[in-house]
Coordinates of all heavy atoms in Angstrom, one line a residue:
M698 N 0.9 -1.2 0.0 CA 0.0 0.0 0.0 C 0.9 1.2 0.0 O 2.0 1.2 0.6 CB -0.9 0.0 1.2 CG -2.0 0.9 1.2 SD -3.3 0.7 2.4 CE -4.2 -0.7 1.8
D699 N 0.4 2.3 -0.7 CA 1.3 3.5 -0.8 C 1.4 4.3 0.5 O 2.5 4.7 0.8 CB 0.7 4.4 -1.9 CG 0.8 3.8 -3.3 OD1 1.8 3.3 -3.7 OD2 -0.3 3.7 -4.0
L700 N 0.3 4.5 1.1 CA 0.3 5.6 2.2 C -0.6 5.2 3.3 O -1.8 4.8 3.2 CB -0.3 6.9 1.5 CG -0.3 8.1 2.4 CD1 1.0 8.6 2.9 CD2 -1.0 9.3 1.6
L701 N 0.0 5.4 4.5 CA -0.8 5.4 5.8 C -0.9 6.8 6.3 O 0.1 7.5 6.4 CB -0.1 4.5 6.8 CG -0.7 4.5 8.2 CD1 -2.1 3.8 8.1 CD2 0.2 3.7 9.2
I702 N -2.1 7.2 6.6 CA -2.4 8.6 7.1 C -2.8 8.5 8.5 O -3.8 7.7 8.8 CB -3.4 9.3 6.2 CG1 -3.0 9.4 4.8 CG2 -3.7 10.7 6.8 CD1 -4.1 9.9 3.9
I703 N -2.2 9.2 9.4 CA -2.6 9.3 10.8 C -3.0 10.7 11.1 O -2.2 11.6 10.8 CB -1.6 8.7 11.8 CG1 -2.3 8.9 13.2 CG2 -0.3 9.3 11.7 CD1 -1.5 8.2 14.4
G704 N -4.1 10.9 11.6 CA -4.6 12.2 12.0 C -5.5 12.1 13.2 O -6.0 11.0 13.5
R705 N -5.9 13.2 13.8 CA -6.8 13.1 14.9 C -8.3 13.3 14.6 O -9.2 12.9 15.3 CB -6.3 14.0 16.0 CG -5.0 13.7 16.6 CD -4.9 12.3 17.2 NE -3.7 12.1 17.9 CZ -3.0 11.0 17.7 NH1 -3.4 10.0 16.9 NH2 -1.9 10.8 18.4
S706 N -8.5 14.0 13.5 CA -9.9 14.2 13.0 C -10.3 13.2 12.0 O -9.7 13.1 10.9 CB -10.0 15.6 12.4 OG -11.2 15.7 11.6
R707 N -11.3 12.4 12.4 CA -11.8 11.3 11.5 C -12.2 11.9 10.2 O -11.9 11.3 9.1 CB -12.9 10.5 12.2 CG -13.6 9.5 11.3 CD -12.7 8.5 10.6 NE -11.9 7.6 11.4 CZ -10.9 6.9 11.0 NH1 -10.6 6.9 9.7 NH2 -10.2 6.1 11.8
N708 N -12.9 13.0 10.2 CA -13.4 13.6 8.9 C -12.3 14.0 8.0 O -12.3 13.8 6.8 CB -14.3 14.8 9.2 CG -15.6 14.4 9.8 OD1 -16.1 13.3 9.7 ND2 -16.3 15.4 10.5
T709 N -11.2 14.6 8.6 CA -10.1 15.1 7.8 C -9.3 13.9 7.2 O -9.0 13.8 6.1 CB -9.2 16.0 8.6 OG1 -9.9 17.1 9.1 CG2 -8.0 16.4 7.8
V710 N -9.1 12.9 8.1 CA -8.4 11.6 7.6 C -9.2 11.0 6.5 O -8.7 10.6 5.5 CB -8.2 10.7 8.8 CG1 -7.7 9.3 8.3 CG2 -7.2 11.3 9.8
D711 N -10.5 10.8 6.7 CA -11.3 10.2 5.7 C -11.3 11.0 4.3 O -11.3 10.4 3.3 CB -12.8 10.0 6.1 CG -12.9 8.9 7.2 OD1 -12.0 8.1 7.4 OD2 -14.0 8.9 7.8
A712 N -11.4 12.3 4.4 CA -11.3 13.1 3.2 C -10.0 13.0 2.5 O -10.0 12.9 1.3 CB -11.6 14.6 3.6
A713 N -8.9 12.9 3.3 CA -7.6 12.7 2.7 C -7.5 11.4 2.0 O -7.0 11.3 0.9 CB -6.5 12.9 3.7
V714 N -7.9 10.3 2.7 CA -7.9 9.0 2.1 C -8.7 8.9 0.8 O -8.2 8.4 -0.2 CB -8.4 7.9 3.1 CG1 -8.6 6.6 2.4 CG2 -7.4 7.8 4.3
E715 N -9.8 9.5 0.8 CA -10.7 9.5 -0.4 C -10.0 10.2 -1.6 O -10.0 9.7 -2.7 CB -12.0 10.2 -0.1 CG -13.0 10.2 -1.2 CD -14.3 10.9 -0.9 OE1 -14.8 10.7 0.3 OE2 -14.9 11.6 -1.7
R716 N -9.4 11.3 -1.3 CA -8.7 12.1 -2.3 C -7.4 11.4 -2.8 O -7.2 11.3 -4.0 CB -8.3 13.5 -1.8 CG -9.5 14.4 -1.7 CD -9.1 15.8 -1.3 NE -10.2 16.7 -1.2 CZ -10.9 17.2 -2.2 NH1 -10.5 17.0 -3.4 NH2 -11.9 18.0 -2.0
V717 N -6.7 10.8 -1.9 CA -5.5 10.0 -2.3 C -5.9 8.8 -3.2 O -5.3 8.6 -4.3 CB -4.7 9.5 -1.1 CG1 -3.7 8.5 -1.5 CG2 -4.1 10.7 -0.3
R718 N -6.9 8.1 -2.9 CA -7.4 7.0 -3.7 C -7.9 7.5 -5.0 O -7.7 6.8 -6.1 CB -8.5 6.3 -2.9 CG -8.0 5.5 -1.8 CD -9.1 4.7 -1.0 NE -8.6 3.9 0.1 CZ -9.3 3.5 1.0 NH1 -10.6 3.7 1.1 NH2 -8.8 2.8 2.0
A719 N -8.6 8.6 -5.1 CA -9.1 9.2 -6.3 C -7.9 9.6 -7.2 O -8.1 9.6 -8.5 CB -10.0 10.4 -6.1
A720 N -6.8 9.9 -6.7 CA -5.6 10.2 -7.4 C -4.8 9.0 -7.9 O -3.8 9.1 -8.6 CB -4.7 11.1 -6.6
G721 N -5.4 7.8 -7.6 CA -4.8 6.6 -8.1 C -3.8 5.9 -7.1 O -3.2 4.9 -7.5
F722 N -3.7 6.3 -5.9 CA -2.8 5.7 -4.9 C -3.7 4.9 -3.9 O -4.8 5.1 -3.7 CB -2.0 6.7 -4.2 CG -1.2 7.6 -5.0 CD1 -1.6 8.9 -5.4 CD2 0.0 7.1 -5.5 CE1 -0.8 9.7 -6.2 CE2 0.8 7.9 -6.4 CZ 0.4 9.2 -6.7
S723 N -3.0 3.9 -3.3 CA -3.7 3.2 -2.2 C -3.4 3.9 -0.9 O -2.3 4.4 -0.7 CB -3.3 1.7 -2.2 OG -1.9 1.6 -2.0
A724 N -4.4 3.9 0.0 CA -4.2 4.6 1.3 C -5.1 4.0 2.3 O -6.2 3.4 2.0 CB -4.5 6.1 1.1
R725 N -4.7 4.1 3.5 CA -5.5 3.8 4.7 C -5.3 4.9 5.7 O -4.3 5.5 5.9 CB -5.0 2.5 5.3 CG -5.7 2.0 6.5 CD -5.3 0.7 7.0 NE -5.8 0.5 8.4 CZ -5.3 -0.4 9.2 NH1 -4.3 -1.1 8.9 NH2 -5.8 -0.5 10.4
G726 N -6.4 5.2 6.4 CA -6.4 6.2 7.4 C -6.7 5.7 8.8 O -7.6 4.9 8.9
V727 N -6.0 6.2 9.8 CA -6.2 5.9 11.2 C -6.2 7.1 12.0 O -5.7 8.2 11.6 CB -5.2 4.9 11.7 CG1 -5.2 3.5 10.9 CG2 -3.8 5.4 11.6
T728 N -6.7 7.0 13.3 CA -6.8 8.2 14.1 C -6.1 8.0 15.5 O -6.0 8.9 16.3 CB -8.2 8.6 14.4 OG1 -9.0 7.5 15.0 CG2 -8.9 9.1 13.1
T729 N -5.6 6.8 15.7 CA -4.9 6.5 17.0 C -3.5 6.0 16.8 O -3.2 5.4 15.7 CB -5.7 5.5 17.9 OG1 -5.5 4.2 17.3 CG2 -7.1 5.9 18.1
D730 N -2.6 6.3 17.7 CA -1.3 5.8 17.6 C -1.2 4.3 17.5 O -0.5 3.7 16.7 CB -0.5 6.2 18.8 CG -0.3 7.7 18.9 OD1 -0.7 8.4 18.0 OD2 0.2 8.2 19.9
D731 N -2.0 3.6 18.4 CA -2.0 2.1 18.3 C -2.4 1.6 17.0 O -1.8 0.6 16.5 CB -3.0 1.6 19.4 CG -2.5 1.7 20.8 OD1 -1.3 2.0 21.0 OD2 -3.3 1.7 21.8
E732 N -3.4 2.2 16.3 CA -3.8 1.7 15.0 C -2.6 1.9 14.0 O -2.4 1.1 13.2 CB -5.0 2.5 14.5 CG -6.3 2.2 15.2 CD -7.4 3.1 14.7 OE1 -7.2 4.4 14.8 OE2 -8.4 2.6 14.1
A733 N -2.0 3.1 14.1 CA -0.9 3.4 13.2 C 0.3 2.4 13.4 O 0.8 1.9 12.4 CB -0.5 4.8 13.4
L734 N 0.6 2.2 14.6 CA 1.8 1.3 14.9 C 1.5 -0.1 14.5 O 2.4 -0.7 13.9 CB 2.1 1.4 16.4 CG 2.6 2.7 17.0 CD1 2.6 2.7 18.5 CD2 3.9 3.1 16.4
A735 N 0.3 -0.6 14.7 CA -0.1 -1.9 14.2 C -0.1 -2.0 12.7 O 0.4 -3.0 12.1 CB -1.5 -2.3 14.7
A736 N -0.6 -0.9 12.0 CA -0.5 -0.9 10.5 C 0.9 -0.9 10.0 O 1.2 -1.6 9.0 CB -1.3 0.3 10.0
L737 N 1.7 -0.1 10.6 CA 3.1 0.0 10.2 C 3.8 -1.4 10.4 O 4.7 -1.8 9.5 CB 3.9 1.1 11.0 CG 3.5 2.5 10.6 CD1 4.1 3.5 11.7 CD2 4.0 2.9 9.2
D738 N 3.5 -2.1 11.4 CA 4.1 -3.4 11.7 C 3.7 -4.4 10.6 O 4.4 -5.5 10.5 CB 3.8 -3.9 13.1 CG 4.7 -3.3 14.2 OD1 5.8 -2.9 13.8 OD2 4.2 -3.3 15.3
T739 N 2.7 -4.2 9.8 CA 2.3 -5.1 8.8 C 3.3 -5.1 7.6 O 3.4 -6.1 6.8 CB 0.9 -4.8 8.2 OG1 1.0 -3.6 7.5 CG2 -0.1 -4.8 9.2
G740 N 4.1 -4.0 7.5 CA 5.1 -3.9 6.4 C 4.4 -3.6 5.1 O 5.1 -3.7 4.0
E741 N 3.2 -3.2 5.1 CA 2.4 -2.9 3.8 C 2.6 -1.5 3.3 O 2.1 -1.3 2.1 CB 0.9 -3.2 4.1 CG 0.6 -4.6 4.4 CD -0.9 -4.7 4.8 OE1 -1.7 -3.8 4.4 OE2 -1.3 -5.8 5.4
F742 N 3.2 -0.6 4.0 CA 3.2 0.8 3.6 C 4.5 1.3 3.2 O 5.6 0.9 3.8 CB 2.6 1.7 4.8 CG 1.2 1.3 5.1 CD1 0.9 0.4 6.1 CD2 0.2 1.9 4.4 CE1 -0.4 0.1 6.4 CE2 -1.1 1.5 4.7 CZ -1.4 0.6 5.7
A743 N 4.5 2.2 2.2 CA 5.8 2.8 1.8 C 6.0 4.2 2.4 O 7.1 4.7 2.5 CB 5.8 2.9 0.3
H744 N 4.8 4.8 2.8 CA 4.9 6.2 3.3 C 3.9 6.3 4.4 O 2.8 5.7 4.5 CB 4.4 7.2 2.2 CG 5.3 7.2 1.0 ND1 6.3 8.1 0.9 CD2 5.3 6.5 -0.1 CE1 6.9 7.9 -0.3 NE2 6.3 6.9 -0.9
L745 N 4.3 7.2 5.4 CA 3.4 7.6 6.5 C 3.3 9.1 6.5 O 4.3 9.8 6.4 CB 4.1 7.2 7.8 CG 3.4 7.7 9.1 CD1 2.0 7.1 9.3 CD2 4.3 7.4 10.3
L746 N 2.0 9.5 6.5 CA 1.7 11.0 6.6 C 1.1 11.2 7.9 O 0.1 10.7 8.3 CB 0.7 11.4 5.5 CG 0.3 12.8 5.5 CD1 1.4 13.8 5.3 CD2 -0.8 13.1 4.4
T747 N 1.8 12.1 8.7 CA 1.4 12.4 10.0 C 0.7 13.8 10.0 O 1.4 14.8 9.6 CB 2.6 12.4 11.0 OG1 3.3 11.2 10.9 CG2 2.2 12.7 12.4
G748 N -0.5 13.8 10.4 CA -1.3 15.0 10.3 C -0.8 16.0 11.4 O -0.2 15.7 12.4
G749 N -1.1 17.3 11.1 CA -0.7 18.4 12.0 C -1.2 18.3 13.4 O -0.6 18.8 14.3
G750 N -2.3 17.6 13.6 CA -2.9 17.5 15.0 C -2.3 16.4 15.8 O -2.6 16.2 17.0
V751 N -1.4 15.6 15.2 CA -0.8 14.5 16.0 C 0.2 15.1 16.9 O 1.1 15.8 16.5 CB -0.1 13.4 15.0 CG1 0.6 12.4 15.8 CG2 -1.2 12.8 14.1
E752 N 0.0 14.8 18.2 CA 0.8 15.4 19.2 C 2.3 15.1 19.1 O 2.7 14.0 18.6 CB 0.3 14.9 20.6 CG -1.1 15.2 20.9 CD -2.1 14.2 20.3 OE1 -1.6 13.2 19.7 OE2 -3.3 14.4 20.4
K753 N 3.1 16.0 19.5 CA 4.6 15.9 19.5 C 5.1 14.6 20.2 O 6.0 14.0 19.8 CB 5.3 17.1 20.1 CG 5.2 18.3 19.1 CD 6.0 19.5 19.7 CE 5.8 20.7 18.7 NZ 6.6 21.8 19.2
R754 N 4.4 14.3 21.3 CA 4.8 13.1 22.1 C 4.6 11.8 21.3 O 5.2 10.8 21.6 CB 4.1 13.1 23.5 CG 2.6 12.8 23.4 CD 2.0 12.8 24.8 NE 0.6 12.5 24.8 CZ -0.3 13.4 24.5 NH1 0.0 14.6 24.4 NH2 -1.6 13.0 24.5
S755 N 3.7 11.8 20.4 CA 3.4 10.6 19.6 C 4.3 10.4 18.5 O 4.5 9.2 18.0 CB 1.9 10.7 19.0 OG 1.0 10.7 20.0
R756 N 4.9 11.4 18.0 CA 5.7 11.3 16.7 C 7.0 10.5 16.8 O 7.3 9.7 15.9 CB 6.1 12.8 16.3 CG 4.8 13.5 15.8 CD 5.0 15.0 15.5 NE 3.8 15.6 15.3 CZ 3.3 15.9 14.0 NH1 4.0 15.5 13.0 NH2 2.1 16.4 13.9
P757 N 7.7 10.5 17.9 CA 9.0 9.7 18.0 C 8.7 8.2 17.8 O 9.4 7.5 17.0 CB 9.6 10.0 19.3 CG 9.1 11.4 19.6 CD 7.7 11.4 19.1
A758 N 7.7 7.7 18.4 CA 7.4 6.2 18.3 C 6.9 5.9 16.9 O 7.3 4.9 16.3 CB 6.3 5.8 19.3
L759 N 6.1 6.8 16.3 CA 5.7 6.5 14.9 C 6.8 6.5 14.0 O 7.0 5.7 13.1 CB 4.6 7.6 14.5 CG 3.3 7.6 15.3 CD1 2.5 8.9 15.0 CD2 2.5 6.4 14.9
K760 N 7.7 7.5 14.1 CA 8.9 7.6 13.3 C 9.8 6.4 13.5 O 10.4 5.9 12.5 CB 9.7 8.9 13.6 CG 9.0 10.1 13.1 CD 9.8 11.3 13.5 CE 9.2 12.6 13.1 NZ 10.0 13.8 13.5
E761 N 10.0 5.9 14.7 CA 10.9 4.8 15.0 C 10.4 3.5 14.3 O 11.1 2.8 13.7 CB 11.0 4.6 16.5 CG 12.1 3.7 16.9 CD 11.7 2.2 16.9 OE1 10.5 2.0 17.3 OE2 12.5 1.4 16.5
V762 N 9.1 3.3 14.5 CA 8.5 2.0 13.9 C 8.5 2.2 12.3 O 8.8 1.2 11.6 CB 7.1 1.8 14.4 CG1 6.4 0.6 13.7 CG2 7.1 1.5 15.9
A763 N 8.2 3.3 11.8 CA 8.2 3.5 10.4 C 9.7 3.3 9.9 O 9.8 2.6 8.8 CB 7.8 4.9 10.0
G764 N 10.6 3.8 10.6 CA 12.0 3.6 10.2 C 12.4 2.2 10.1 O 13.2 1.7 9.2
R765 N 12.0 1.4 11.1 CA 12.3 0.0 11.1 C 11.8 -0.8 9.9 O 12.4 -1.8 9.5 CB 11.7 -0.7 12.4 CG 12.6 -0.8 13.6 CD 12.0 -1.7 14.6 NE 11.1 -1.0 15.4 CZ 10.0 -1.5 15.9 NH1 9.6 -2.7 15.6 NH2 9.2 -0.8 16.7
H766 N 10.7 -0.3 9.3 CA 10.1 -0.9 8.2 C 10.4 -0.2 6.9 O 9.8 -0.5 5.8 CB 8.6 -1.0 8.4 CG 8.2 -1.9 9.5 ND1 8.3 -3.2 9.5 CD2 7.8 -1.6 10.8 CE1 7.9 -3.7 10.6 NE2 7.6 -2.7 11.5
G767 N 11.3 0.7 6.9 CA 11.7 1.4 5.7 C 10.6 2.3 5.1 O 10.6 2.6 3.9
V768 N 9.8 2.8 6.0 CA 8.6 3.7 5.6 C 9.1 5.1 5.6 O 9.6 5.6 6.7 CB 7.4 3.5 6.5 CG1 6.3 4.4 6.2 CG2 6.9 2.0 6.4
A769 N 8.9 5.9 4.6 CA 9.2 7.3 4.5 C 8.2 8.1 5.3 O 7.0 7.8 5.2 CB 9.2 7.8 3.1
V770 N 8.6 9.0 6.2 CA 7.7 9.7 7.1 C 7.6 11.2 6.5 O 8.6 11.8 6.3 CB 8.2 9.8 8.5 CG1 7.3 10.6 9.4 CG2 8.3 8.3 9.1
H771 N 6.4 11.6 6.4 CA 6.1 13.0 6.0 C 5.2 13.6 7.0 O 4.1 13.1 7.4 CB 5.3 13.0 4.6 CG 6.0 12.1 3.6 ND1 7.2 12.4 3.0 CD2 5.7 10.8 3.2 CE1 7.5 11.4 2.1 NE2 6.7 10.5 2.3
E772 N 5.6 14.7 7.5 CA 4.8 15.4 8.5 C 4.1 16.6 7.9 O 4.7 17.5 7.3 CB 5.7 15.9 9.6 CG 6.4 14.8 10.4 CD 7.2 15.2 11.6 OE1 6.5 15.7 12.5 OE2 8.4 15.1 11.6
A773 N 2.7 16.5 8.0 CA 1.9 17.5 7.3 C 2.1 18.9 7.8 O 2.1 19.1 9.0 CB 0.4 17.1 7.4
R774 N 2.3 19.8 6.9 CA 2.4 21.2 7.3 C 1.6 22.0 6.2 O 2.1 22.3 5.1 CB 3.9 21.7 7.3 CG 4.6 21.1 8.5 CD 6.0 21.6 8.6 NE 6.6 21.2 9.8 CZ 7.1 20.0 10.1 NH1 7.1 19.1 9.1 NH2 7.7 19.7 11.2
R775 N 0.3 22.1 6.4 CA -0.6 22.7 5.4 C -0.5 24.2 5.3 O -0.8 24.7 4.2 CB -2.0 22.3 5.7 CG -2.2 20.8 5.5 CD -3.6 20.2 5.8 NE -4.7 21.1 5.7 CZ -5.8 21.0 6.4 NH1 -6.0 19.9 7.2 NH2 -6.8 21.8 6.3
H776 N 0.0 24.9 6.3 CA 0.1 26.3 6.2 C -1.1 27.0 5.6 O -1.0 27.8 4.7 CB 1.4 26.7 5.5 CG 2.6 26.1 6.1 ND1 3.2 26.5 7.3 CD2 3.5 25.2 5.6 CE1 4.3 25.9 7.5 NE2 4.5 25.0 6.6
G777 N -2.3 26.6 6.1 CA -3.5 27.3 5.7 C -4.1 26.7 4.4 O -5.2 27.1 4.0
R778 N -3.4 25.8 3.7 CA -4.0 25.2 2.5 C -5.0 24.2 2.9 O -5.0 23.5 3.9 CB -2.9 24.5 1.7 CG -1.8 25.4 1.1 CD -0.7 24.6 0.5 NE 0.1 24.0 1.5 CZ 1.3 23.4 1.3 NH1 1.7 23.2 0.1 NH2 2.0 22.9 2.3
D779 N -6.0 24.0 2.0 CA -7.0 22.9 2.3 C -6.3 21.6 2.0 O -5.2 21.5 1.4 CB -8.3 23.1 1.5 CG -8.2 23.0 0.0 OD1 -7.2 22.5 -0.5 OD2 -9.1 23.5 -0.7
V780 N -7.0 20.5 2.3 CA -6.4 19.2 2.2 C -6.1 18.9 0.7 O -5.0 18.3 0.4 CB -7.4 18.1 2.8 CG1 -6.9 16.7 2.5 CG2 -7.5 18.3 4.3
A781 N -7.0 19.2 -0.2 CA -6.8 18.9 -1.6 C -5.5 19.6 -2.1 O -4.7 18.9 -2.8 CB -8.0 19.3 -2.4
D782 N -5.4 20.8 -1.8 CA -4.2 21.6 -2.3 C -2.9 21.0 -1.7 O -1.9 20.8 -2.4 CB -4.3 23.1 -2.0 CG -5.3 23.8 -2.9 OD1 -5.7 23.2 -3.9 OD2 -5.7 24.9 -2.5
Y783 N -2.9 20.7 -0.4 CA -1.8 20.2 0.3 C -1.4 18.8 -0.4 O -0.2 18.6 -0.7 CB -2.0 20.0 1.8 CG -0.9 19.2 2.4 CD1 0.3 19.8 2.6 CD2 -1.1 17.9 2.8 CE1 1.3 19.1 3.2 CE2 -0.1 17.2 3.3 CZ 1.2 17.8 3.6 OH 2.2 17.1 4.1
L784 N -2.3 18.0 -0.6 CA -2.0 16.7 -1.1 C -1.4 16.8 -2.5 O -0.4 16.2 -2.9 CB -3.3 15.8 -1.2 CG -3.8 15.3 0.2 CD1 -5.2 14.7 0.0 CD2 -2.9 14.4 0.8
E785 N -2.0 17.7 -3.4 CA -1.6 17.9 -4.7 C -0.2 18.4 -4.8 O 0.7 18.0 -5.6 CB -2.6 18.8 -5.5 CG -2.2 18.9 -6.9 CD -2.5 17.7 -7.8 OE1 -3.4 16.9 -7.5 OE2 -1.6 17.4 -8.6
Q786 N 0.1 19.4 -3.9 CA 1.4 20.1 -4.0 C 2.5 19.4 -3.2 O 3.7 19.5 -3.6 CB 1.2 21.5 -3.4 CG 0.3 22.4 -4.2 CD -0.2 23.6 -3.4 OE1 0.3 23.9 -2.3 NE2 -1.0 24.4 -4.1
E787 N 2.2 18.7 -2.2 CA 3.2 18.1 -1.3 C 3.3 16.6 -1.3 O 4.4 16.0 -1.4 CB 3.0 18.6 0.1 CG 3.0 20.1 0.3 CD 4.4 20.7 0.2 OE1 5.4 20.0 0.4 OE2 4.5 21.9 -0.1
V788 N 2.1 15.9 -1.3 CA 2.1 14.5 -1.1 C 2.2 13.7 -2.4 O 3.0 12.8 -2.5 CB 0.9 14.0 -0.2 CG1 0.8 12.5 -0.1 CG2 0.9 14.7 1.1
Y789 N 1.4 14.0 -3.3 CA 1.4 13.2 -4.6 C 2.8 13.2 -5.2 O 3.3 12.1 -5.7 CB 0.4 13.7 -5.6 CG -1.0 13.6 -5.1 CD1 -2.0 14.4 -5.6 CD2 -1.4 12.7 -4.1 CE1 -3.3 14.4 -5.2 CE2 -2.7 12.7 -3.6 CZ -3.7 13.5 -4.2 OH -5.0 13.5 -3.7
P790 N 3.5 14.3 -5.3 CA 4.9 14.3 -5.8 C 5.8 13.3 -5.1 O 6.6 12.6 -5.7 CB 5.4 15.7 -5.7 CG 4.2 16.5 -5.8 CD 3.1 15.7 -5.0
R791 N 5.6 13.2 -3.8 CA 6.5 12.3 -3.0 C 6.1 10.8 -3.3 O 6.9 10.0 -3.4 CB 6.3 12.6 -1.5 CG 6.9 13.9 -1.1 CD 6.6 14.2 0.4 NE 7.0 15.5 0.7 CZ 6.7 16.1 1.8 NH1 6.0 15.5 2.7 NH2 7.1 17.3 2.1
L792 N 4.8 10.6 -3.4 CA 4.3 9.2 -3.8 C 4.8 8.8 -5.2 O 5.0 7.6 -5.4 CB 2.8 9.1 -3.7 CG 2.2 9.3 -2.3 CD1 0.7 9.3 -2.3 CD2 2.8 8.4 -1.3
R793 N 4.9 9.8 -6.0 CA 5.4 9.5 -7.4 C 6.9 9.4 -7.5 O 7.4 9.1 -8.5 CB 4.9 10.6 -8.3 CG 3.4 10.6 -8.6 CD 3.0 11.7 -9.6 NE 1.6 11.8 -9.6 CZ 0.9 12.8 -9.2 NH1 1.5 13.9 -8.7 NH2 -0.4 12.8 -9.3
G794 N 7.5 9.7 -6.4 CA 9.0 9.6 -6.3 C 9.7 10.9 -6.9 O 10.9 10.8 -7.3
A795 N 8.9 12.0 -7.0 CA 9.5 13.2 -7.6 C 10.4 13.9 -6.6 O 10.3 13.7 -5.4 CB 8.4 14.1 -8.0

């Protein structure tokens, strides 16, 4: 699978997953650290996108497990952009290897 998205807002995560899939990539979205860590342990993901609402204390464990599995970590910084623009400008190029 291309992308695992973790965020704290179910609506935002679901919207992002829907858009990523519509762009032709595979994606799964989760809202808890435990879900993300379990998903990363499957070895199915190439990328992890950590939403801006994910607390600083959660990030080291997510990064560590992702690193063990060779998963590239991307920390969302939307800077006022909506989800669609952020994905188009920042995430899709990374998924395409640009």
Side-chain angles (χ1 to χ4, degrees):
M698 194 169 285
D699 294 309
L700 180 64
L701 176 64
I702 300 170
I703 180 171
R705 296 302 187 226
S706 165
R707 173 51 63 191
N708 290 338
T709 302
V710 169
D711 289 348
V714 167
E715 183 178 321
R716 289 184 178 282
V717 169
R718 288 179 178 164
F722 301 101
S723 58
R725 178 174 166 204
V727 298
T728 59
T729 70
D730 295 352
D731 288 342
E732 290 174 301
L734 294 169
L737 289 167
D738 277 336
T739 67
E741 295 177 16
F742 298 93
H744 299 267
L745 170 66
L746 176 60
T747 306
V751 175
E752 301 82 4
K753 287 184 181 182
R754 69 179 181 275
S755 295
R756 292 170 187 264
L759 293 167
K760 288 178 184 178
E761 192 274 322
V762 172
R765 266 194 275 141
H766 295 287
V768 175
V770 178
H771 312 283
E772 297 187 66
R774 290 185 174 77
R775 289 177 27 204
H776 301 290
R778 294 175 285 186
D779 67 19
V780 171
D782 288 341
Y783 171 73
L784 291 169
E785 186 67 39
Q786 295 166 2
E787 302 287 336
V788 177
Y789 301 155
R791 293 176 188 168
L792 296 178
R793 290 182 188 112

